[in-house]
Every structure is written in C-alpha cells, then in structure tokens.
C-alpha cells in the first residue's frame, strides 16, 4: 500500500509541474503578443501627443508675439516718436495677421516639419518685436550723401548751358 501512495503522489506532482509549465509558457507567449501590439500603439500615441504639444507651443509663442507686437508704442529708446519703428510695427502686425489666417485654415493639416519651420519664423518675428518694444529699430535708415553727384551734374549742365548760349 505504501508503494501505491508514493507512485500516486509522484504522478500528481508530475501533472502539477507540467500544468504549471504549460500555463507559464502560455502566459509568456500571451504577454509577448500583448507587448508586440501595445508598444507600437503607445509609441504612436506618444508621437501624436508630441506633435500636438509642438502645435500648442507654436500657438503660445504666436499669441505671445502678437501681444508683444500690440504693445509696441512706436517710440524709440529716447522716448521720441519714430516713424521707422511705427512702420516696422505695421509690417510685423501684417505678417502676424497673415500667419494667423494661414494657421486658422491650414493649422490642422500642418506636418511636424512645417510646424518646426513656422516656429523658427515666429521666433525670429518675436525677436524683432522684442527689439521694437524696447525702441530699437530692426532696420537701419541709410542716408546717401548725394551732394558730390549733384554738384558734378550741376557743373556739367552749367557748362552745357553756357555752350548752348554761346552757340545761339
């Protein structure tokens, strides 16, 4: 009777271990399949969230630039009215209005590369607006000294006028 009990116990252990091995094998395979499907979906969702975050950052920078542009007074660093700064503010405002229309119409279809390019442009416009708000003009007004050319032309035309008067 003792022999039967031992063989029965051994049989039971073998079945239990085999069942546990099969169960763990199925569990591992199921886990690998789940990971193989979940990871790409999670990565895609993460990419979509990163793209959406980049779009939101672009919109925040754009709004910040427009607010800064609206705060430009048109006065230079000395507090005097400056037509050049006022003109540049108007140009900047027009450019931002055009970008607003573009982003309203095409913003949802923008690719990540387009978002990066537009962000670079808006960043440059923000730098311009920042300088203008501190009273520094973006462009420089170059004045030409034309007196030398005008004097030379006057001398030539006076000589021709005198020649024409003598000839008549």
């Amino acid at each position: 009777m003792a022999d039967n009990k031992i063989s029965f116990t051994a049989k039971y252990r073998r079945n239990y271990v085999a069942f546990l091995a099969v169960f763990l094998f199925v569990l591992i395979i199921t886990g690998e399949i789940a990971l193989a499907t979940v990871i790409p979906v999670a990565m895609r969702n993460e990419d979509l969230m990163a793209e959406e975050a980049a779009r939101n950052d672009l919109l925040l920078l754009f709004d910040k630039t427009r607010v800064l542009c609206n705060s430009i007074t048109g006065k230079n660093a000395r507090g005097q009215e400056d037509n050049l700064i006022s003109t540049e503010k108007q140009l900047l405002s027009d450019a931002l209005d055009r970008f607003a229309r573009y982003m309203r119409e095409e913003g949802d279809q923008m690719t990540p590369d387009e978002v990066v390019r537009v962000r670079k442009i808006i960043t440059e416009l923000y730098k311009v607006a920042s300088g203008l708000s501190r009273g520094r003009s973006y462009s420089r007004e170059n004045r030409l000294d034309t007196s030398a050319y005008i004097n030379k032309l006057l001398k030539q035309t006076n000589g021709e006028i005198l020649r024409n008067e003598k000839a008549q």
Side-chain angles (χ1 to χ4, degrees):
M1 188 159 194
D3 289 333
N4 286 340
K5 190 175 187 183
I6 292 173
S7 64
F8 179 77
T9 306
K11 225 181 204 183
Y12 175 72
R13 280 189 184 165
R14 258 187 274 139
N15 288 340
Y16 178 70
V17 170
F19 174 74
L20 184 62
V22 169
F23 176 73
L24 288 176
F25 177 75
V26 169
L27 186 66
I28 289 172
I29 296 299
T30 306
E32 287 180 3
I33 290 172
L35 285 176
T37 57
V38 168
I39 287 176
V41 169
M43 294 298 287
R44 183 171 183 270
N45 287 342
E46 185 176 322
D47 288 344
L48 290 174
M49 288 191 316
E51 289 175 15
E52 193 61 33
R55 279 191 175 95
N56 285 339
D57 287 344
L58 172 65
L59 290 174
L60 288 173
L61 178 64
F62 181 75
D63 289 339
K64 189 177 178 181
T65 305
R66 287 187 90 176
V67 167
L68 184 61
C69 180
N70 289 334
S71 71
I72 297 171
T73 60
K75 295 182 179 182
N76 60 18
R78 290 175 260 155
Q80 302 165 338
E81 287 292 324
D82 191 342
N83 289 336
L84 188 59
I85 291 177
S86 298
T87 304
E88 290 174 353
K89 175 191 175 183
Q90 186 61 42
L91 289 171
L92 181 63
S93 179
D94 291 346
L96 291 172
D97 289 345
R98 287 190 182 133
F99 267 115
R101 273 187 244 115
Y102 173 76
M103 288 195 291
R104 191 178 318 117
E105 295 169 1
E106 305 293 330
D108 295 337
Q109 289 83 26
M110 287 173 60
T111 65
D113 291 336
E114 289 173 333
V115 170
V116 169
R117 283 186 291 179
V118 170
R119 182 174 173 77
K120 285 180 184 177
I121 293 169
I122 299 297
T123 301
E124 289 300 316
L125 292 177
Y126 181 79
K127 290 176 185 176
V128 171
S130 178
L132 289 175
S133 70
R134 288 190 297 261
R136 288 187 286 160
S137 177
Y138 179 73
S139 60
R140 294 187 182 160
E141 185 176 356
N142 294 328
R143 296 191 181 257
L144 296 175
D145 183 18
T146 59
S147 60
Y149 303 112
I150 292 175
N151 289 337
K152 185 176 178 182
L153 287 173
L154 286 174
K155 286 180 184 177
Q156 287 176 353
T157 55
N158 280 340
E160 287 179 23
I161 293 172
L162 291 175
R163 278 186 231 137
N164 287 339
E165 286 179 0
K166 287 181 184 178
Q168 289 179 0

